[in-house]
């Protein structure tokens, strides 16, 4: 592992802003100070006039996810490389067993796939069904693999979704372990009912996806997830929150003293449901199907509520839910929106979008940006201070960021393995110039220098009481 000295950067952490040099050696931050001298052989990065952030932590990705009859288009190599190009140095992906599949078999499958990662990675374990063996396996992955968060889907009924009884049992097991339960909140049965009705009425195009999953369906499920967690006396983490009603449920719970974490994603902050009117054959670079994800993109009004929630500290983290499908893959649902694979790319774009439309527009401070995109996800999921921090001893995962560079997002230039971008044409002000992964310069001025398999698995054991 080489030695790198970052000179004169404007360091931004979740709490501070100051100018200093950072010396990285042996994969960790060795020193932070003024006028540090470069040891012989060290690579020197002149960060004068640029910001230096802790590497991004994306707590919600789906690399090579088998889903809805296909597999998401970025594998762990291409997906983590795209992340590095955009300043994300750690991801937390999801092991998602099929219903009735053993958690252990699924764990082995995902662990093997992830070996090709170029950035560090951890896993949430999705629990998609429940019996005595599942309970045992939850204990096993918690103890053997340091997987200390369990994901539940209240949507996708009939596939990977769980019902309330299963959710209660999962939460009860998590309580015994001290593990964190995370929830995708949509009322699965209500969605199925609306889907059936729309299809019966001949409303089969992609745009009806949004109508089949209205915001109140998310609001109800968010409230229910919080209620069930409250019954167990445990915290809960709401993934990809998109809607005012869901935010209201979080705010009410917080006012009542409950520990509820909320995550949102750039697409829910920046897009509105007019995207479902897009047609690629009418000259658009994207099609309504490219925006089919769950929950869907919301009508105008929700976005500003989410920004306000983020600014007020009521939404805590920003992840991507990176789950790309190519146009060809999306065509599986051209005659029936319920068959369009749900998901879109974003792992590369998170930092530049959040800086441009959050910090540059004055909606959040630089410190809030670092907190939501790096420090807090690391803290919530037991990766801090190894990740999410600029401290002596922390992993040397660092981003040098030029806040003056203007750019434009396009599928033609992004590193995602996907021919579409839901952020096509979005202008950015602020760009990653260098990314260090454990001290190695893995990205420099457009040049990816990643090594397949360089990513390390991150155990997330809870501190001993
Ligand atoms: O549409 C989405 N979000 N696809 C990925 C799976 C999930 O629900 O997070
Ligand atoms: Zn989800
Ligand atoms: Zn997801």
């Amino acid at each position: 592992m080489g030695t790198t000295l970052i000179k004169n950067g404007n360091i931004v952490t979740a709490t501070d802003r100051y100018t200093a040099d950072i010396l990285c050696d042996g994969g960790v931050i060795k020193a932070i100070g003024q006028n540090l001298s470069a040891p012989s052989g060290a690579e020197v990065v002149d960060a004068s006039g640029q910001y230096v952030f802790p590497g991004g932590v994306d707590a919600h990705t789906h690399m090579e996810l088998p889903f809805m009859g296909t597999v998401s288009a970025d594998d762990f190599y291409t997906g983590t490389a795209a992340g590095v190009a955009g300043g994300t140095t750690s991801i937390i992906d999801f092991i998602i067993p099929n219903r009735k599949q053993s958690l252990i078999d699924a764990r082995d499958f995902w662990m093997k796939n992830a070996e090709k990662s170029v950035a560090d990675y951890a896993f949430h374990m999705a629990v998609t069904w429940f019996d005595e063996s599942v309970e045992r396996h939850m204990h096993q992955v918690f103890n053997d693999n340091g997987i200390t968060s369990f994901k539940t889907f209240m949507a996708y009924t009939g596939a990977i979704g769980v019902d309330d009884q299963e959710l209660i049992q999962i939460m009860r097991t998590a309580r015994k372990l001290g593990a964190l339960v995370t929830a995708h909140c949509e009322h699965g049965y209500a969605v199925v009912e609306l889907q059936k009705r729309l299809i019966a009425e001949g409303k089969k195009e992609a745009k009806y996806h949004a109508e089949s999953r209205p915001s109140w369906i998310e609001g109800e499920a968010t409230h229910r997830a919080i209620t069930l967690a409250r019954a167990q006396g445990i915290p809960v983490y709401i993934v990809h929150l998109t809607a005012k009603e869901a935010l209201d449920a979080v705010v009410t719970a917080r006012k009542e003293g409950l520990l509820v974490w909320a995550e949102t994603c750039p697409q829910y902050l920046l897009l509105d449901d007019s995207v479902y009117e897009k047609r690629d054959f009418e000259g658009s670079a994207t099609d309504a199907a490219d925006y089919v994800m769950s929950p869907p993109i919301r009508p105008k009004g929700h976005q500003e509520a989410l920004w306000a929630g983020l600014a007020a500290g009521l939404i805590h983290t920003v992840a991507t839910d990176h789950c790309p499908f190519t146009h060809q893959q999306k065509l599986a649902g051209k005659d029936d929106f319920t068959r369009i694979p749900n998901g879109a790319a974003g792992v590369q774009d998170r930092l530049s979008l959040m800086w441009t439309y959050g910090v540059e527009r004055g909606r959040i401070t630089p410190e809030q940006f670092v907190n939501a995109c790096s420090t807090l996800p690391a803290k919530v999921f037991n990766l801090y201070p190894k990740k999410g921090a600029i401290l002596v001893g922390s992993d040397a995962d660092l981003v040098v960021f030029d806040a003056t560079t203007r750019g434009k997002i396009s599928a033609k230039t992004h590193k995602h393995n996907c021919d579409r971008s839901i952020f096509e044409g979005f202008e950015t002000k602020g760009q990653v110039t260098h990314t260090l992964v454990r001290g190695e310069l893995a990205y420099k001025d457009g040049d990816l220098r990643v090594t397949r398999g360089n990513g390390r698995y991150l155990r997330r054991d809870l501190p001993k009481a």
Side-chain angles (χ1 to χ4, degrees), residues 103-148:
L103 272 57
I104 301 306
D105 289 351
R107 175 201 66 188
D108 294 346
F109 176 78
W110 257 270
M111 288 276 189
K112 184 88 202 127
N113 284 345
E115 282 173 7
K116 53 177 108 53
S117 297
V118 304
D120 290 356
Y121 58 94
F123 285 113
H124 311 279
M125 172 61 78
V127 187
T128 55
W129 59 295
F130 198 87
D131 73 357
E132 167 281 320
S133 73
V134 172
E135 176 167 10
R136 200 162 16 89
H137 291 156
M138 285 176 71
H139 282 262
Q140 192 174 330
V141 299
F142 182 93
N143 292 315
D144 293 356
N145 307 104
I147 295 176
T148 50

Side-chain angles (χ1 to χ4, degrees), residues 96-100 126-130 153 159-162 166 170:
I96 309 186
N98 294 321
R99 234 184 141 71
K100 301 294 169 195
V127 187
T128 55
W129 59 295
F130 198 87
F153 294 94
I160 54 177
V162 290
E166 290 168 320
I170 294 162

Side-chain angles (χ1 to χ4, degrees), residues 45 198 206 311:
V45 174
L198 287 161

